[in-house]
Amino acid sequence: MSHILVVDDEPALLRTLRINLQARHYSVLTAATGQQALDSAGQAPPDAVLLDLGLPDFDGVDVIEGIRSTLAVPIIVLTGRADIADKLRAFDAGADDYVTKPFVMDELLARLRAVLRRPAEPEPLPQTRIGPNAVDLVAGTITGPDGPIRLTPTEWKILALLLADPGRLVPGQRILTEVWGPDAANHSNYLRVFFSSMRRKLEPDPARPRHLITEPGIGYRFRP
């Protein structure tokens, strides 16, 4: 039985979600505030989280980051915010999927099943180099000639996928689906933005990348 934490400040929606999830044999805990969500996740780590962004005490993105700091569980954002900027902030903080209210219950449950059965990310080499930069994936650090280099959580996810299979092509759609969720499969603009940022941080000459390689129209690869 999977344990689901549902976080929303609408009592009627919490009740509806709890009833529907329990009817499908999930164990359910609910929280109406960000603090309650963080406390609950710390005391009884869930198998997945359904999270509203508009909470009375914290912004939902802060809750995502709080959960992500200690747990790797799937997080599905369930919110009325449909703006692309809100979606990018949520995904960058570590959300796995994004569902906009109003929603169809069967679709939400299908997305929940999808994230629960998603295999663990492949294990990349714990230490490697990208040009002059030393990458320690266990410690989550990158050290360049001038000191530490900071990546966002989303950039780390993308980099881990590439480093797990050095030299091999990783299809763009696979990166989009694994990092942002199935709805992002056609949003190749996400990848252009993030790869541009990663190259500025990691490539000696971002305009002529030697390690984070684009295969136009197909995908990306890490060239050691």
Side-chain angles (χ1 to χ4, degrees):
M1 179 182 291
S2 296
H3 172 54
I4 311 300
L5 173 61
V6 183
V7 187
D8 201 295
D9 64 344
E10 299 179 38
L13 181 57
L14 277 183
R15 184 167 56 254
T16 298
L17 288 169
R18 184 177 65 246
I19 290 170
N20 277 273
L21 290 166
Q22 288 176 339
R24 290 159 177 84
H25 307 293
Y26 293 104
S27 169
V28 182
L29 279 181
T30 60
T33 68
Q35 189 60 60
Q36 289 175 5
L38 294 172
D39 291 345
S40 180
Q43 293 166 7
D47 295 304
V49 179
L50 302 180
L51 173 69
D52 185 21
L53 294 182
L55 299 171
D57 53 348
F58 298 145
D59 187 273
V61 171
D62 296 328
V63 179
I64 295 171
E65 291 176 342
I67 293 173
R68 273 283 167 266
S69 68
T70 57
L71 299 174
V73 299
I75 299 173
I76 299 177
V77 170
L78 187 60
T79 182
R81 300 180 187 176
D83 190 84
I84 187 65
D86 289 312
K87 292 183 180 182
L88 290 176
R89 286 181 64 232
F91 283 126
D92 200 33
D96 293 271
D97 202 351
Y98 197 103
V99 178
T100 304
K101 300 175 183 176
F103 60 91
V104 177
M105 184 63 68
D106 285 345
E107 180 186 355
L108 174 63
L109 294 170
R111 289 172 181 265
L112 178 60
R113 292 193 297 271
V115 298
L116 285 171
R117 66 173 176 260
R118 186 175 297 169
E121 290 184 1
E123 290 293 331
L125 294 173
Q127 295 185 337
T128 189
R129 297 191 70 84
I130 300 177
N133 309 305
V135 182
D136 187 329
L137 286 152
V138 175
T141 61
I142 300 179
T143 305
D146 299 321
I149 297 171
R150 181 185 178 277
L151 297 188
T152 69
T154 297
E155 290 169 344
W156 271 113
K157 287 183 179 181
I158 296 170
L159 188 64
L161 285 172
L162 296 178
L163 296 186
D165 233 346
R168 290 184 177 271
L169 176 74
V170 182
Q173 285 195 341
R174 178 188 165 197
I175 300 174
L176 288 164
T177 299
E178 294 199 22
V179 174
W180 283 280
D183 273 359
N186 295 318
H187 291 280
S188 58
N189 58 308
Y190 292 3
L191 296 179
R192 287 194 294 271
V193 171
F194 278 94
F195 270 88
S196 176
S197 173
M198 292 164 64
R199 286 169 179 143
R200 287 197 301 271
K201 297 175 182 180
L202 299 174
E203 291 276 7
D205 184 353
R208 297 176 179 82
R210 297 178 57 189
H211 304 287
L212 304 178
I213 306 300
T214 299
E215 300 293 348
I218 305 174
Y220 299 84
R221 70 176 83 239
F222 166 60
R223 183 181 294 159

